[in-house]
């Protein structure tokens, strides 16, 4: 005999708007344009851009005092033909940029050349300078360097482009290209590449200034690790030299290098732009996050026509049902875009507040331990929402472009009871291994003891995990005769 039972359960279902928002939130800027284009294609009730003719004219037939309510089907036509909420909808967080600067996409493309050409397109140049610049970009090799001499490029321009210029003009345009991202691009040598990156750093920091001097005046000694000579010549302490070396070894010696053999790399598009205005951090959204979107006027007109009709035509009612469905979808989409931008800004502002010291200085040691829950608690949102933002977004700072995942790390407790970022411990671990005697490299046990002696409560297995994450082999494989 089969036993019947009755059970009750509570389930939460997401609304279409919530699903729309979740899908839009997790995609990065580079995919958002494509997603918007898809929506524009499938929904004729959604339009892109401003309708100046409509915005400037006053149409009495759309007076807000008129009663457009359909009493038969209970359609609130007012909600569609009043477009003060949607028409001319504009990007949040554009900041006070001029039109040209605001629309500039940042260092983003499927290839290095495409990325440079995008940035080059926003320079104000003469026609001759433009030809020179294109020749220079075409001379940049896959690792980001220009190895042809300036005079050779002058000759190329004369023979192939019929453009007669001189080395000074070519060098002037090259300096503009060297200001592009990634930092160090267009360098003619390794020292120049490193100097280009160092000069973008905070020049009020004496260690950055000292790093520039060492590369500029003592690059040969530095490359051969003759640090004692540099110390004597500059009369600097061991600690100062250590700080400078740490700055230099973090620079990218191949700013255009590409992973894999295809020569096709995806550059990060920053979703956020963070600027330092006299020690005041200012955050804006990349204006490429969304175009201007609005409800189609012609579709609102259809509802108006239906309201003035006898409402007895079956085909007309079916048409209105279709129109209402498309208008709902268009409004939902615009709401989801707006909510996406608000959530992005809210989350990133919280990250900036939490990691304020790092964003102000660019010093990795200033990074605080931070997990998703920290930010979720700060902005009163679900951890999954913060995760969707952090997993696919990036921010442009004066120190470079960082994926948001970079700022999240686990914490390690110290003897004083404070928490430090695991990234700080990894940096110390790397420094210890770099400075170890190559004939007798440090084992994980010895590294654990040194870190414990310095106040970091860390186990040997954690040392091994961090070493592997840094792609550093075990001690016996690091031994050098």
């Amino acid at each position: 005999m089969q036993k019947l039972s009755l059970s009750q359960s509570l389930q939460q279902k997401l609304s279409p708007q919530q699903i729309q928002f979740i899908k839009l939130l997790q995609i990065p800027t580079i995919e958002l344009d494509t997603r918007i284009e898809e929506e524009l294609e499938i929904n004729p009730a959604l339009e892109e851009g401003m309708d100046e003719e409509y915005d400037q004219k006053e149409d009495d037939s759309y007076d807000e005092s008129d009663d457009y309510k359909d009493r038969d089907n209970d359609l609130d036509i007012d909600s569609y033909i009043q477009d003060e909420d949607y028409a001319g909808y504009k990007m949040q967080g554009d900041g006070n940029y001029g039109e040209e600067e605001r629309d500039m996409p940042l260092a983003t493309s499927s290839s290095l050349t495409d990325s440079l050409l995008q940035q080059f397109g926003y320079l104000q140049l003469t026609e001759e300078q433009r030809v020179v610049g294109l020749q220079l970009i075409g001379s940049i090799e896959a690792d980001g360097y220009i190895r042809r001499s300036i005079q050779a490029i002058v000759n190329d321009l004369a023979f192939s482009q019929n453009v007669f210029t001189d080395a000074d003009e070519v060098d002037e345009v090259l300096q503009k290209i060297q200001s592009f991202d990634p930092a160090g691009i267009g360098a003619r040598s390794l020292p120049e590449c490193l100097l280009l990156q160092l000069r973008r750093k905070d020049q009020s920091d004496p260690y950055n200034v000292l790093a520039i001097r060492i590369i500029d005046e003592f690059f040969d000694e530095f490359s051969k690790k003759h640090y004692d000579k540099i110390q004597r010549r500059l009369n600097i302490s061991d600690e100062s030299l250590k700080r400078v070396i740490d700055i230099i070894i973090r620079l990218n010696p191949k700013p255009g290098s590409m992973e894999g053999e295809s020569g096709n790399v995806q550059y990060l598009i920053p979703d956020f732009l963070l600027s330092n205005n006299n020690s005041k951090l200012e955050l804006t959204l990349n204006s490429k996050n969304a175009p201007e979107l609005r409800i189609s006027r012609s579709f609102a007109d259809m509802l108006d026509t239906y309201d003035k009709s006898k409402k007895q035509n079956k085909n007309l009612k079916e048409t209105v049902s279709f129109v209402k469905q498309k208008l709902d979808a268009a409004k939902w989409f615009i709401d989801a875009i707006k909510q996406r931008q608000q959530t992005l800004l809210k989350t990133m502002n919280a990250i900036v507040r939490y990691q304020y010291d790092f964003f102000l200085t660019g010093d990795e040691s200033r990074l605080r331990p931070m997990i998703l829950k920290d930010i979720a608690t700060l902005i009163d949102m679900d951890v999954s929402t913060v995760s969707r933002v952090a997993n696919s977004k990036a921010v442009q700072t004066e120190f470079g472009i960082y994926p948001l995942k970079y700022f999240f790390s686990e914490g390690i407790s110290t003897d004083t009871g404070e928490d430090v970022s695991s990234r700080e411990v990894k940096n110390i671990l790397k420094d210890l291994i770099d400075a170890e005697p190559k004939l007798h490299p440090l084992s994980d046990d010895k590294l654990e003891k040194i870190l414990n002696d310095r106040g970091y409560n860390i186990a040997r297995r954690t040392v091994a995990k961090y070493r592997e994450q840094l792609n550093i082999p075990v001690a016996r494989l690091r031994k050098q005769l």
Side-chain angles (χ1 to χ4, degrees), residues 255-273:
S257 61
M258 300 180 178
E259 297 177 3
E261 298 178 358
S262 63
N264 204 23
V265 66
Q266 193 72 26
Y267 286 91
L268 280 176
I269 295 184
D271 301 82
F272 309 93
L273 299 92

Side-chain angles (χ1 to χ4, degrees), residues 348-360:
M348 190 64 220
N349 271 313
I351 293 173
V352 170
R353 291 198 303 273
Y354 206 96
Q355 303 289 9
Y356 188 84
D357 288 343
F358 169 80
F359 286 114
L360 204 61

Side-chain angles (χ1 to χ4, degrees), residues 243-398:
R243 292 282 294 271
V244 172
I245 291 173
D246 189 56
I247 291 172
I248 295 174
I249 63 176
R250 294 178 190 276
L251 302 176
N252 186 358
K254 294 184 178 181
S257 61
M258 300 180 178
E259 297 177 3
E261 298 178 358
S262 63
N264 204 23
V265 66
Q266 193 72 26
Y267 286 91
L268 280 176
I269 295 184
D271 301 82
F272 309 93
L273 299 92
L274 187 67
S275 58
N276 186 339
N277 187 6
N278 294 323
S279 296
K280 181 182 178 183
L281 298 178
E282 298 176 352
L283 179 71
T284 56
L285 275 174
N286 185 334
S287 62
K288 286 295 178 180
N289 264 290
E292 295 168 348
L293 297 172
R294 64 185 179 86
I295 301 295
S296 167
R297 170 53 43 184
S298 62
F299 267 62
D301 288 346
M302 288 183 192
L303 286 181
D304 180 46
T305 301
Y306 172 71
D307 183 61
K308 294 177 179 178
S309 72
K310 295 181 179 180
K311 306 179 179 65
Q312 300 300 318
N313 188 313
K314 181 180 178 181
N315 290 336
L316 182 57
K317 287 187 177 182
E318 290 177 353
T319 301
V320 169
S321 178
F322 170 80
V323 170
K324 183 181 182 298
Q325 181 185 17
K326 292 300 182 183
L327 285 169
D328 278 336
K331 293 178 74 174
W332 286 348
F333 188 77
I334 292 175
D335 278 340
I337 290 288
K338 294 172 76 173
Q339 190 180 355
R340 175 185 188 271
Q341 294 162 353
Q342 291 164 359
T343 304
L344 290 181
L345 280 172
K346 192 173 183 178
T347 305
M348 190 64 220
N349 271 313
I351 293 173
V352 170
R353 291 198 303 273
Y354 206 96
Q355 303 289 9
Y356 188 84
D357 288 343
F358 169 80
F359 286 114
L360 204 61
T361 64
D363 185 351
E364 276 190 359
S365 65
R366 301 286 185 93
L367 279 173
R368 297 171 59 191
M370 183 177 77
I371 59 175
L372 294 172
K373 188 177 180 181
D374 293 328
I375 299 302
T377 302
L378 203 59
I379 61 178
D380 194 24
M381 285 187 175
D382 193 83
V383 171
S384 63
T385 301
V386 177
S387 176
R388 288 185 175 96
V389 175
N391 279 337
S392 57
K393 308 297 183 297
V395 59
Q396 168 134 12
T397 73
E398 62 183 40

Side-chain angles (χ1 to χ4, degrees), residues 22 24 57 73 77 153-154 194 220 223 242-243 251 268 274 286 355 367 380 392 403 428 454:
I22 289 170
L24 285 171
K57 75 178 181 180
N73 285 324
I77 299 174
I153 292 173
V154 170
L194 301 178
D220 192 47
S223 62
K242 181 177 178 297
R243 292 282 294 271
L251 302 176
L268 280 176
L274 187 67
N286 185 334
Q355 303 289 9
L367 279 173
D380 194 24
S392 57
I428 295 172
R454 292 191 180 188

Side-chain angles (χ1 to χ4, degrees), residues 126-175:
T126 65
E127 180 59 27
E128 182 174 304
Q129 287 177 321
R130 192 185 70 82
V131 175
V132 171
L134 292 175
Q135 185 75 22
L136 285 166
I137 289 175
S139 300
I140 294 177
E141 299 181 13
D143 58 2
Y145 287 82
I146 290 181
R147 290 186 169 84
R148 289 182 62 77
S149 69
I150 294 294
Q151 189 55 52
I153 292 173
V154 170
N155 295 337
D156 289 344
L157 288 164
F159 290 123
S160 62
Q161 304 284 345
N162 203 30
V163 171
F164 298 94
T165 182
D166 56 38
D168 289 340
E169 184 174 18
V170 172
D171 191 63
E172 180 183 347
V173 178
L174 176 59
Q175 288 179 37

